[in-house]
Amino acid sequence: MNVVLLGAPGAGKGTQASLIEEKFDLVHISTGDIFRANIKGGTPIGKLAKSYIDAGKLVPDEVTCEIVKDRLAKGDIAGGYMLDGFPRNIFQAEELDKFAHIDLCINIDVDISLLMDRICGRRVCACGESYHVSTLNGATECKKCGKPLYQREDDNPETVGKRLDTYFKQTAPLVEYYEKQGKLFTVESGKLSPKEVFAVIAEELERRVK
Ligand code: AP5
Ligand code: MG
């Protein structure tokens, strides 16, 4: 099964992707993670992407679509995958439909008032895990791999405000895009813990696999 994970910054796409990957064996492909790896490696794509990410804007479509197309050409995705953070506007969604078949769009819906705290309190690990300071009890290392946790550069109130603005203007219309295709499944994450959100998603995935 090929899945798109949709949701505002901080909605829990990465958190759910990690849980889904463990249970359903779908390959997790995050365009944000790909850009951050390129920034760390000092590649030309990384240099270009950094200016957009720091400004809370979308990296140009032609660059992003090419990255995803190349990634989906690799053999390891034959058993299914999850796209986290792609597509992010109607153009990207239409391009994706030209080179891939998407079965399901999981839309993680969270009240906007919760997002700023979730993102600014997030601590991440190089292995891809993310945590919130409120649940770390002062720990500074990843529970999964032991590496030190750090804060993403774009997780500051000013950039988060711009990312949310970009989301509502450009990405939110994708809810209707996938609804019209009959592929939308929305989970309300507001008051639910990550595990509770996952239970709702897992039930839907199991129903569809059968
Ligand atoms: P990206 O890395 O995709 O960032 P984002 O969309 O802003 O989403 P986040 O990673 O911030 O949030 P998340 O939904 O993964 O939340 P998480 O699970 O970590 O993109 C970064 C940038 O790259 C973009 O701004 C853009 O510039 C560029 N980019 C990427 N893709 C692009 C594209 N397709 N086109 C163009 N540009 C692109 O959870 C957040 C926090 O909440 C954590 O602390 C977590 O522990 C906590 N949490 C999670 N679930 C719950 C819960 N149920 N209850 C309480 N806390 C929770
Ligand atoms: Mg993420």
Side-chain angles (χ1 to χ4, degrees), residues 11-192:
K13 302 182 292 297
T15 303
Q16 292 305 318
S18 169
L19 295 167
I20 294 169
E21 191 173 34
E22 262 176 38
K23 180 155 182 186
F24 292 93
D25 220 17
L26 299 178
V27 177
H28 177 200
I29 301 171
S30 155
T31 39
D33 286 350
I34 293 172
F35 288 134
R36 283 184 287 278
N38 274 277
I39 292 171
K40 203 173 168 198
T43 69
I45 285 177
K47 282 178 188 143
L48 173 90
K50 186 170 174 17
S51 58
Y52 290 92
I53 292 177
D54 289 348
K57 293 181 179 164
L58 297 186
V59 178
D61 289 335
E62 56 274 21
V63 176
T64 313
C65 290
E66 208 51 38
I67 286 175
V68 176
K69 197 174 177 183
D70 286 352
R71 181 65 189 84
L72 296 186
K74 294 192 176 148
D76 66 332
I77 54 102
Y81 56 84
M82 277 169 291
L83 291 172
D84 160 2
F86 185 93
R88 244 177 157 100
N89 58 28
I90 297 287
F91 178 83
Q92 292 182 5
E94 288 173 348
E95 285 302 298
L96 178 64
D97 281 342
K98 291 178 193 166
F99 58 77
H101 175 80
I102 298 303
D103 300 293
L104 174 68
C105 170
I106 299 173
N107 174 38
I108 308 175
D109 195 21
V110 185
D111 193 296
I112 186 176
S113 63
L114 298 173
L115 298 173
M116 186 63 84
D117 169 69
R118 279 198 188 182
I119 300 175
C120 293
R122 171 170 52 193
R123 296 296 178 270
V124 295
C125 175
C127 77
E129 279 302 297
S130 76
Y131 302 88
H132 191 272
V133 279
S134 61
T135 61
L136 278 169
N137 295 322
T140 56
E141 284 159 358
C142 178
K143 288 176 196 165
K144 272 204 172 166
C145 72
K147 286 191 193 134
L149 299 176
Y150 61 94
Q151 195 165 17
R152 265 169 51 178
E153 274 189 38
D154 58 344
D155 283 357
N156 61 78
E158 195 192 339
T159 312
V160 173
K162 291 176 185 159
R163 285 161 60 195
L164 289 172
D165 198 42
T166 302
Y167 170 78
F168 285 108
K169 284 190 181 134
Q170 300 196 46
T171 312
L174 290 177
V175 173
E176 196 184 335
Y177 180 89
Y178 284 109
E179 191 167 33
K180 276 188 183 155
Q181 291 193 355
K183 294 176 180 170
L184 188 74
F185 175 73
T186 295
V187 51
E188 310 280 343
S189 141
K191 294 183 188 99
L192 303 181

